[in-house]
Structure formats: C-alpha cells, structure tokens
C-alpha cells in the first residue's frame, strides 16, 4: 500500500491526465516528464489492484473503475485547491497559473493587453490565454476562466455578465458609390452580403428588427463570400466587396475614421451578452476573482466600442 500522501498526489495526477486527455499534456502541465507520469499511474494501478486507463497512441479511455475513481479524485483535487486558496488569500502576492479561454475579437481588441497589464502587477502569477471562437469545455480542459459571447447553455458554470455587444450593418463608402444604399431590410436582398459563419442564427440568417419596434426576426441574405473569421469579413467590407453584419466593437475605429459606414441603423437585431464564466466552486480563488474584476474594468473603459 502507498503512503496516504502519495495516494493523494497520484490521484490528483490521475485526474489531471483525464482532464488533459493525454499523458504528455498532463506531464507538461504538471512540469514532469511523461515517463514519470506513466510510472506513477502504473504504481497507483498496482497498489489498487485495478486497471484505470486504456491507453493507445491516440487516445485514453477510462475503465469502469477509472470512471468511479476519477469522480473521487476530482473532489480530492478540488478540496486541496480550496485549502490552498485560503492560504493564498491571506498572502499579499498572487502566485500560480490561471488558464483562460477568450474569443479572438475580444482577445485582440482588449484582453491581450489587459491581461498582460494584470500579470505585470503580479509578477509571480502566470496567465495562459487561448484565443478561440469555440466554447471550450472548462471542466474537462482544466480552464479556470473563460470570456464568452452569446448564450450560455451549460448550467454547471457560473456566469457574470460584463456588458452587451451590439452588432452593426456596414459597408465602405466606395461600395455605396457603386450600389444604391439600402433603406429597408428587404433592400439587403439586392446586395452582396458578406457573411460570418460563426454565429448561432446560421451563416446567411441575419437577425433584424423593425425600426419602429417589434419582434426580432431572421432575414436570409445572399452573398458570394463567407468566412469563419470576422476580421476577414471586415477586410472584405473595407475593400468595397459587399455589406457585412459584424460586432460594433470590431469596426468602431473604422466607423470613426470613415473607412466603413453604418447602413440601416436601428435595423440590426443582433445583441450578444459578454460574460466571465468559470466552473462552480465554493471558493473562487482570489487571483481569479481579481483578474475578473480587472477584465470588467477594462471592458467598461472602452464601453463606447460596444
């Protein structure tokens, strides 16, 4: 039998392997070699007398015993983390690592600089930030904090509303020199609409609202270019190749400079909430709480962009 403290360490490592999905990623996260990871899991399985994982070159699969142990191991890991958080909150210095996932637009516009500023204030803290447009699985991927835009279907997460992101319909002045300006939503059907594939309503379905008020509805537009990157759509619009519906924050400076102009003001019905999201925990670490407050302040400082 292993000593109790070694059991605890190996159980935490086992949970980390499952969360990371591979021995190599777990080794990198834990700061040890893959061979050490293999040796410790082998030792744990031998001591328990049970197989926990089926391992191939491409994937890991939990055995029935492994699934049962994983739930217990996560609880142990969480309790240890809670205990460490109590100590860290009594310390003047923030230490450790915060892993976060943010949308590419917000990451480029605000969060990269804002998070770097936070790290500069707390030199013993490291933030690992991923810019991605998918909703990462926070629990299974070991992510401490995410900034998400849109609906939040996962009720197991805690979400703190930051602000609402309004979208606008834009084109270049040069485009309007070649084409009649649309004055109604139906006029868009006569135009080349540049569409963004990463949206819940569908690539060609733009959310519109009657200017005098009323329910938001979907308008199916047509165009010869779609992209899964909003900045690519912005560049095409600036080039005069069509009309686009994009987040206002992304084109705020273009509208100020006149390289893009808003059309059908008041007709766009797309507004998405921006949230700070984190897994449920009884004691949110101080470092994460302070980072959330710092990020919220950063958004509020440029609220005119949204």
């Amino acid at each position: 039998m292993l000593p109790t403290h070694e059991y605890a360490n190996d159980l935490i490592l086992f949970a980390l392997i499952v969360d990371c999905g591979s021995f190599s990623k777990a080794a990198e996260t834990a700061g040890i070699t893959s061979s050490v990871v293999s040796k410790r899991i082998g030792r744990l399985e031998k001591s328990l007398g049970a197989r926990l994982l089926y391992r191939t070159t491409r994937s890991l699969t939990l055995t029935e015993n492994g699934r049962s142990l994983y739930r217990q191991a996560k609880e142990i890991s969480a309790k240890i983390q809670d205990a460490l958080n109590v100590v860290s909150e009594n310390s003047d210095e923030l230490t450790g690592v915060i892993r976060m996932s943010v949308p590419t637009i917000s990451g480029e516009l605000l969060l990269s600089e804002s998070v770097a500023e936070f790290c500069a204030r707390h030199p013993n803290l490291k933030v690992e930030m991923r810019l991605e447009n998918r909703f990462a699985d926070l629990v299974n991927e070991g992510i401490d904090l995410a900034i998400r835009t849109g609906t939040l279907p996962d009720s197991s997460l805690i979400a703190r509303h930051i602000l609402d992101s309004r979208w606008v319909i834009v084109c270049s002045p040069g485009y309007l020199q070649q084409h009649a300006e649309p004055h109604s939503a139906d006029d868009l059907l006569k135009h080349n609409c540049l569409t963004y594939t990463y949206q819940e309503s569908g690539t060609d379905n733009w959310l519109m609202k009657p200017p005098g008020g009323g329910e938001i509805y979907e308008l199916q537009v047509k165009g010869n270019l779609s992209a899964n990157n909003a900045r690519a759509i912005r560049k095409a619009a600036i080039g005069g190749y069509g009309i686009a519906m994009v987040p206002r924050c992304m084109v705020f400076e273009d509208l100020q400079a006149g390289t893009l102009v808003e059309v059908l003001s008041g007709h766009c019905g797309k507004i998405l909430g921006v949230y700070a999201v984190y897994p449920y925990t009884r004691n949110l670490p101080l470092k994460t709480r302070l980072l959330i407050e710092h990020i919220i302040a950063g958004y509020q400082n440029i609220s005119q962009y949204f």
Side-chain angles (χ1 to χ4, degrees), residues 31-43:
I32 57 180
T33 64
S34 295
S35 61
V36 170
V37 172
S38 298
K39 184 181 295 184
R40 285 177 56 181
I41 294 304
R43 179 179 68 179

Side-chain angles (χ1 to χ4, degrees), residues 284-297:
L284 183 66
L286 175 65
K287 59 191 175 186
T288 307
R289 288 209 308 268
L290 292 180
L291 177 57
I292 290 172
E293 295 298 334
H294 181 80
I295 288 172
I296 289 175

Side-chain angles (χ1 to χ4, degrees), residues 48-273:
L48 294 173
R51 185 73 177 266
L52 302 176
L53 293 163
Y54 294 118
R55 181 186 180 191
T56 69
T57 56
R58 294 187 176 182
S59 65
L60 291 176
T61 304
L62 285 171
T63 65
E64 185 175 349
N65 286 325
R67 285 193 296 271
S68 298
L69 186 65
Y70 173 68
R71 289 191 292 270
Q72 301 299 322
K74 286 293 286 185
E75 288 185 14
I76 292 171
S77 181
K79 287 179 180 178
I80 291 175
Q81 187 60 56
D82 285 346
L84 294 174
N85 292 339
V86 171
V87 175
S88 68
E89 292 202 8
N90 293 325
S91 172
D92 292 330
E93 289 190 352
L94 299 184
T95 61
V97 178
I98 299 176
R99 297 175 179 86
M100 64 183 300
S101 169
V102 307
T104 55
I105 294 173
S106 293
E108 294 170 355
L109 174 68
L110 164 70
L111 292 173
S112 296
E113 185 174 0
S114 180
V115 171
E117 179 186 19
F118 185 79
C119 291
R121 294 181 184 179
H122 306 284
N124 293 323
L125 178 71
K126 180 180 180 181
V127 176
E128 297 176 356
M129 185 168 60
R130 292 167 20 182
L131 275 65
E132 52 195 353
N133 283 332
R134 68 182 184 92
F135 280 7
D137 186 331
L138 272 61
V139 175
N140 289 329
E141 296 181 43
I143 297 173
D144 303 298
L145 172 65
I147 304 301
R148 287 186 172 176
T149 302
T151 57
L152 301 172
D154 192 341
S155 59
S156 67
L157 303 174
I158 307 299
R160 182 171 174 185
H161 181 259
I162 299 175
L163 48 68
D164 288 325
S165 175
R166 185 165 65 87
W167 288 48
V168 290
I169 301 171
V170 299
C171 63
S172 71
Y175 181 84
L176 292 180
Q177 291 176 1
Q178 302 294 324
H179 305 84
E181 181 176 349
H183 295 289
S184 70
D186 287 344
D187 287 345
L188 288 173
L189 303 179
K190 307 170 188 174
H191 287 269
N192 187 42
C193 294
L194 311 170
T195 52
Y196 178 40
T197 58
Y198 182 72
Q199 57 180 15
E200 295 173 0
S201 57
T203 301
D204 300 324
N205 295 326
W206 285 6
L207 297 180
M208 309 294 295
K209 64 179 179 180
E215 291 188 4
I216 293 173
Y217 64 96
E218 292 185 1
L219 178 72
Q220 188 166 3
V221 298
K222 295 180 180 179
N224 59 13
L225 175 65
S226 64
N228 65 351
N229 182 283
R231 289 200 173 274
I233 296 299
R234 166 187 168 269
K235 290 285 286 185
I238 291 174
Y241 297 108
I243 295 178
M245 180 187 286
V246 290
R248 184 173 185 267
C249 62
M250 190 181 71
V251 296
F252 176 81
E253 293 180 355
D254 299 316
L255 294 171
Q256 297 295 305
T259 52
L260 287 175
V261 295
E262 184 178 1
V263 296
L264 291 176
S265 178
H267 285 72
C268 183
K270 188 164 186 176
I271 300 176
L272 300 177

